[in-house]
Each structure stands twice: as C-alpha cells, then as structure tokens.
Amino acid sequence: VLYDKDMTSIIKYPQAKSGTTFSTLESVEDINRQAFSDSQYLSEIIMQEGLKTIEGAAFSNCKNLTQVTIPESVAAIESGAFAGCANLKSIIIPEGVSVIKPNTFSECGELEWIQIPVSIESIESSAFRECKNLSDVYYGGSEKQWSLIDISDYNDYNDVLFTTTIHYNSTGPDTSDPGESNQPQYILAKFTGYDEATKQVTIEETTSYQYKVTEETDLSFLENLEELKNKYVLIQYMPGDYDHVLDRYVCSVSPAL
C-alpha cells in the first residue's frame, strides 16, 4: 500500500493485492482519488477515526466490496467515491457530511439500506443511480427536515429516493427506530406568524438554543395563538405525522443565552 511520506494519505492500494479486509492507519486523514478503485479481492474496508476526506472514485468498481466502516471524523465524501461497488449492501454516512456528491453510490445495485444524517443539505445528480434494491433510508431528522434537503432529480437518476421507505428520526436498522414508534416526540419552535383567515400558523424550527421552561400548559394551540406569537414553545407530535404538530404544545420556553 502506497502512502505519502507523512503517512497521512493513502495514495494507492494495489488492485491485485491479496486479502479481503483492510484497515487504515490511525494517522491517515485522506484517501486519495481512485486509491482503491478496481481492487479485485477487497470485501471489507475499516476506516479509522481521524480520517477526514474520501476523495473522488476512491473505492469505485470494487466489485467484491460488501462492508464499509466510515468514522465520525469524515466530513467529505467526494463524487463517485463508491460508484460501481456492485455488491455493497449498506452504508452509514457520518454526521458532519453535508452533501452526497454526484455518482457517490451510482450503480451500487445490491445496496439495500443507507443511514443518512441530519447534517445532509443536498443530494446531487446521480448519487443513487441504478440503486434498484435500495429499500430503506434511515434518516436522523424529521419528515419536514427531509423535505428541505435539495435532492437533484436530473433525468430521474435519484428517483429511488422518492419511492423507497424513509424512516424518520432514526439511527439505523439495528436500533429501535423512533420513526416507527408510537411514542410522542418533541421539538423546539418559534411562532412567527398567524393568518386568521386561513388558520395557518408559521413556525421557525430550531434546536440550537439552550432553554428554560417559563410556563407549563396543556392547552391547545388554537386557544393561545396570539399570546404565543414570537415565543419559543415545545410542541409534541407523533412520528410520521409532522403536519399535525400543532395539536398540542407542552410549555413556553425562553432562550437561556
């Protein structure tokens, strides 16, 4: 395996290297473009904490690759990183990655599920092209947060994301899935407007504040809209039923800045 002189970058993994499992060194921060592409025998790659970047096409066309471990330290996965990994079964994208780049998982025909963190802001062209067996997406945020992700639909190459099952507020298939639970969930929001004619309430969702309870209540929103305007409140909702979060609020809060 070829490293740079500081042992912080993997430059090239020999395509015909024997052995099915490889673990990166703890010193490695970057996996170079096409570093593992077309590896013939590699079936499992374990990336150690400290890795920051997986460059373009780093693992492209690793036909026997089935298992990948990506550490939480990774902040960028570049275009086509896993394209053509025809037998890859699942993948967990770490929190902190903000974009799923073009062709990242293109032609991963056996990909069955993927875990996507709430940090993802956009999914670019052909990221999931020909991922015909993708049946489940485990997403860390709410249904509304998912709807705000900019998903490219160029030539319908990401169309599987509009037909697969999305599990909201989820940490993956191996843990209890809050997205399928009947337990109520809570969210911090600020009321910014109310239209009397349409009965429409505008809320500004946020989780960035430390807050303290200023007034507890079990009254419905519709009875208290005017006094709640421009205040922060905790609201209760059932997973998968985000459109009805205005059924009840738990308490008024104020930011503890």
Side-chain angles (χ1 to χ4, degrees):
V1 179
L2 181 63
Y3 295 85
D4 69 347
K5 66 177 182 178
D6 297 322
M7 304 292 283
T8 58
S9 294
I10 296 178
I11 298 173
K12 191 62 182 177
Y13 180 93
Q15 293 178 356
K17 187 180 187 303
S18 61
T20 59
T21 302
F22 181 79
S23 180
T24 64
L25 299 176
E26 292 182 356
S27 61
V28 170
E29 298 180 355
D30 179 84
I31 296 177
N32 282 13
R33 180 175 177 80
Q34 298 183 319
F36 288 82
S37 64
D38 297 297
S39 295
Q40 298 177 26
Y41 304 112
L42 194 63
S43 63
E44 181 180 10
I45 177 74
I46 301 169
M47 306 176 215
Q48 300 291 340
E49 195 70 30
L51 184 70
K52 297 177 181 178
T53 304
I54 301 172
E55 295 192 10
F59 297 94
S60 62
N61 298 313
C62 291
K63 301 297 185 184
N64 290 310
L65 189 64
T66 60
Q67 298 182 62
V68 173
T69 302
I70 304 176
E72 290 294 321
S73 56
V74 168
I77 302 173
E78 300 298 339
S79 300
F82 297 95
C85 293
N87 286 294
L88 186 64
K89 300 295 185 182
S90 63
I91 197 84
I92 298 174
I93 299 176
E95 188 73 43
V97 174
S98 60
V99 180
I100 301 179
K101 297 289 185 70
N103 296 297
T104 299
F105 303 104
S106 176
E107 298 182 29
C108 292
E110 295 300 314
L111 187 66
E112 297 175 356
W113 64 266
I114 185 168
Q115 185 174 323
I116 295 179
V118 72
S119 59
I120 292 294
E121 299 174 356
S122 64
I123 300 175
E124 297 186 342
S125 177
S126 301
F128 292 93
R129 181 168 64 90
E130 299 297 324
C131 292
K132 296 180 179 179
N133 285 319
L134 184 63
S135 59
D136 295 277
V137 172
Y138 297 91
Y139 177 60
S142 66
E143 184 175 0
K144 179 173 183 188
Q145 287 171 308
W146 175 263
S147 72
L148 296 176
I149 296 175
D150 182 14
I151 302 177
S152 170
D153 57 359
Y154 177 73
N155 281 350
D156 296 324
Y157 285 152
N158 286 326
D159 58 348
V160 68
L161 295 178
F162 299 97
T163 58
T164 192
T165 301
I166 311 294
H167 303 265
Y168 304 109
N169 304 296
S170 176
T171 56
D174 295 328
T175 61
S176 60
D177 185 353
E180 299 298 323
S181 169
N182 289 322
Q183 297 301 312
Q185 304 293 309
Y186 299 90
I187 199 165
L188 177 64
K190 179 182 179 181
F191 282 87
T192 56
Y194 173 61
D195 188 318
E196 178 67 36
T198 62
K199 306 295 184 183
Q200 293 295 307
V201 175
T202 304
I203 65 172
E204 183 178 293
E205 184 180 327
T206 177
T207 57
S208 61
Y209 287 101
Q210 296 291 321
Y211 55 89
K212 59 183 180 180
V213 174
T214 55
E215 178 186 354
E216 294 190 26
T217 181
D218 193 23
L219 299 176
S220 71
F221 278 104
L222 296 179
E223 295 173 355
N224 295 273
L225 288 174
E226 284 304 317
E227 68 178 69
L228 290 175
K229 190 179 293 184
N230 294 319
K231 288 185 178 180
Y232 290 90
V233 297
L234 284 176
I235 54 179
Q236 174 183 296
Y237 70 100
M238 299 302 292
D241 194 28
Y242 197 93
D243 289 342
H244 296 92
V245 297
L246 298 184
D247 289 341
R248 179 174 182 265
Y249 77 95
V250 180
C251 61
S252 299
V253 299
S254 64
L257 300 178

